[in-house]
Amino acid sequence: MKRFIVLLLLLVQYTLYSQVSSYNERPPVFFNCDSISIEAQQQCFNSQVHQFIYDNFKVPQKILDQNFKGEVSVIFEVNTEGQFKVVYTDAMYDELKEETTRVFGLFPTIKPGTYNGNPTFKQYSIAIKIPLVNKEIPRDNTSKSNEVTQLQEKAQREFDSINQNLTAFTNKVYSSQLNIPFTHSDYARFDSHMNMIGTNSHTAAKPFIYEDVSRYYDIEKEKEALKREARTWVEKKLWNEHLVELQGKDYWFTIDPILDLQVGRDTEADFGSTYNNTRGFLVQGGLGKKFNFYTSVFESQGRFANYVNTYAESLKAFGPDPAIIPGRGIAKRFKTNGYDYPVAEAYLSYSPVRFLNVQFGHGKNFIGDGYRSLLVSDVASPHPFLKLNTTFWKIKYTNTWMWLKDVRPEFTQDKAFLTKYMATHYLSWNVSKRFNLGLFESVLWTNSNDRGFDVNYLNPIIFYRAIEFETGQGAGNAVLGASAKYKWNNSINLYSQFILDEFSLSDVKGGERSWKNKFGYQLGVKYYNAFKVDNLLLQFEYNRIRPYTYSHNTVLNYGHNNQSMAHLWGANFSEVILIGRYHYKRWFADAKLIFGVRGLDFNDGTDSFSYGGDIYRDYSDRPFDTGVEVGQGIKTNTFNGNIQAGYLINPASNLKIFTDITFRNFNPEAETTTVFNSNTVWFNLGIRTDLFNWYFDF
């Protein structure tokens, strides 16, 4: 509508001309025009308006300094009481609009226009030239040739006006609906602020958006405090700023390069150095105040520690490609023992109202307060998703619909991977200032019987288990869960999760430890500013998942691209995790120790049973129905340790230089062709744009 009005102004030539069709219609009259003839009163009115504007209009100094040349388009009226009223203004700068409104407010009350002797309102349009011109320029709005000329002049100035509309860059990302890239290390910087007693925050559904976090932690202030002194353009871009920063009245965007350049050594491997060579770019921005966008494109080649390469090749999809890089995607061979794995992530984020955020994109999500998640984790490859976050009162309700792939050869049709769908509900309720309760449900289904994307699961407030029965128990796989968090004080938080895939109460009472009792749980504690050391976070976590949890007798397991959508290890394990994180200004250090017991399959000619650890195995292949316990199969003791330290080069792009060392001991009670003893020390150093979590602790 605004553009239509502007176009209308152009077509009528911004003129003060108002044709007096007869002596029955008279224009408004200034008092010093009262004595002249009726025929000249319109011309006198025009002159008085021009002169008054010239005498009173003050062009703001900011605009004078820019040597701006343009105009202010105005529609105004003189009402039946002889008062001037601005109907509409259009100008390149808001300051010019404000000055126009001020000047028209100074006009004196005059005699109103009349029709047949009765007062009537009269409406006019005018173009105020900048710089001001002290002469009257009457134009006939019936001149077609002049209309075209003015329109062409306006069009020819359009490109320059866009450049003139650029403003000094202020990083609006910190108050936007964009996600804060989810890495455990970076989220530890503001975790304590989000979890103070009395806050109404919801910390399980990740990634967070900047607007939500800004209510509890001033990210912009932290970034400003981290800035280094920089004199040249190169220094500013290296230490403090995005590579490209552009901002106008209703838009902004930034562009940054993406780097992940690493070189290392695996003491167990015989192929030489390990490396990762990632290059790419990241674009993010906003249109208006409610719509944001993000895209990152990665082109990567890498060769990892021997145990990582072995695991990546065990995930191999149907087709010629030899591996799936865990957490990233399908990889083709690159040189000797290397992999080429391109990845792209992107999403749109829109908040039509304060309580609702809608995101559609290709990426990953996470639900939980711990290092691991038993509900939804980010260990699998990126995938398409649609997510709704609804926040009101003491509740945050997260609905997510995901499009996943089963890439095994037996489920491939016409060389195309099988698509399966996953829908989740997660309701977070702050019961009190200290206690949070979360309720979770998810369901998976496929395109069997031409079912496609089942509209039953689009309902954001429904019990999935009931739908599963309605559509057929074999048509979907529903999983239930819960979470809880208690703020002991501002330094100590307790958290937990529970996942229920299937349960047999009669078997529990009988003490038979049935295979049907498929569940898992998590217990954890975080200690912020531990031992009164600022920015030191200590964390303890225990996870235990019974055999056959997340598995199914069809393709409806809890997985994507041969990876788990929950815990990295699948099922049939218990683990203890100890984590320490510390940051000081731009310096950071993380330490992680993981002790675990896993039960693995033999997968040889003598024993082909599923013991419940591999969620992609059919649970019908189990060796027994009762006496099922965690660690059955090949009992394997594992240890993973990692120490990392580094320096944040650029807070705007999150570019870091780092070095780390990984220790891994994998000690099974029996060895097969796929399960064998491994003892690894892996050194690494590099420079990385830190945008996502790497999980090498399998």
Side-chain angles (χ1 to χ4, degrees), residues 499-520 545-549 625 628:
I499 187 74
L500 179 62
D501 191 354
E502 194 171 346
F503 190 72
S504 175
L505 182 60
S506 60
D507 290 337
V508 171
K509 290 181 177 179
E512 296 179 342
R513 292 174 298 181
S514 170
W515 75 276
K516 296 180 182 179
N517 293 322
K518 299 185 291 182
F519 63 87
I545 299 181
R546 280 184 54 79
Y548 307 109
T549 306
D625 292 341
V628 173

Side-chain angles (χ1 to χ4, degrees), residues 82 400 602:
T400 311
F602 287 88

Side-chain angles (χ1 to χ4, degrees), residues 392-416:
F392 62 96
W393 187 52
K394 303 175 183 179
I395 286 175
K396 182 175 183 179
Y397 189 44
T398 302
N399 305 92
T400 311
W401 295 269
M402 291 164 272
W403 288 256
L404 311 178
K405 295 291 185 181
D406 194 309
V407 298
R408 292 174 291 175
E410 59 267 35
F411 297 107
T412 302
Q413 295 182 348
D414 299 325
K415 298 183 180 181

Side-chain angles (χ1 to χ4, degrees), residues 548-572:
Y548 307 109
T549 306
Y550 305 119
S551 61
H552 203 261
N553 62 351
T554 68
V555 296
L556 299 179
N557 53 65
Y558 211 72
H560 164 63
N561 268 14
N562 287 340
Q563 302 155 83
S564 171
M565 286 294 291
H567 197 289
L568 180 66
W569 292 0
N572 191 15

Side-chain angles (χ1 to χ4, degrees), residues 500-598:
L500 179 62
D501 191 354
E502 194 171 346
F503 190 72
S504 175
L505 182 60
S506 60
D507 290 337
V508 171
K509 290 181 177 179
E512 296 179 342
R513 292 174 298 181
S514 170
W515 75 276
K516 296 180 182 179
N517 293 322
K518 299 185 291 182
F519 63 87
Y521 61 89
Q522 176 186 89
L523 300 172
V525 58
K526 292 180 180 179
Y527 184 14
Y528 304 112
N529 300 317
F531 306 111
K532 298 183 179 180
V533 177
D534 290 342
N535 305 320
L536 174 61
L537 169 64
L538 299 180
Q539 184 176 358
F540 168 86
E541 185 172 301
Y542 177 73
N543 297 295
R544 184 180 180 89
I545 299 181
R546 280 184 54 79
Y548 307 109
T549 306
Y550 305 119
S551 61
H552 203 261
N553 62 351
T554 68
V555 296
L556 299 179
N557 53 65
Y558 211 72
H560 164 63
N561 268 14
N562 287 340
Q563 302 155 83
S564 171
M565 286 294 291
H567 197 289
L568 180 66
W569 292 0
N572 191 15
F573 70 86
S574 62
E575 70 169 346
V576 171
I577 304 175
L578 301 173
I579 296 175
R581 304 190 190 278
Y582 177 74
H583 68 271
Y584 175 73
K585 296 183 178 180
R586 294 196 181 207
W587 297 95
F588 66 92
D590 297 317
K592 178 177 59 184
L593 302 175
I594 300 177
F595 306 88
V597 176
R598 304 172 65 178

Side-chain angles (χ1 to χ4, degrees), residues 369-479:
D369 287 287
Y371 175 70
R372 309 286 199 190
S373 175
L374 311 188
L375 307 180
V376 173
S377 185
D378 61 337
V379 300
S381 306
H383 47 269
F385 70 90
L386 172 65
K387 181 166 66 173
L388 276 64
N389 277 316
T390 308
T391 307
F392 62 96
W393 187 52
K394 303 175 183 179
I395 286 175
K396 182 175 183 179
Y397 189 44
T398 302
N399 305 92
T400 311
W401 295 269
M402 291 164 272
W403 288 256
L404 311 178
K405 295 291 185 181
D406 194 309
V407 298
R408 292 174 291 175
E410 59 267 35
F411 297 107
T412 302
Q413 295 182 348
D414 299 325
K415 298 183 180 181
F417 300 136
L418 173 71
T419 299
K420 59 182 180 181
Y421 310 96
M422 182 176 177
T424 68
H425 295 162
Y426 180 71
L427 188 148
S428 173
W429 174 29
N430 287 326
V431 181
S432 70
K433 293 181 179 180
R434 296 176 182 263
F435 181 62
N436 173 272
L437 177 66
L439 300 176
F440 173 82
E441 63 172 344
S442 71
V443 66
L444 293 105
W445 73 98
T446 67
N447 195 24
S448 59
N449 299 322
D450 296 323
R451 186 181 181 193
F453 192 94
D454 196 330
V455 295
N456 287 290
Y457 298 120
L458 281 177
N459 193 324
I461 44 176
I462 199 167
F463 192 52
Y464 284 147
R465 192 67 175 173
I467 293 298
E468 184 186 11
F469 277 94
E470 179 181 311
T471 57
Q473 293 191 47
N477 179 24
V479 175

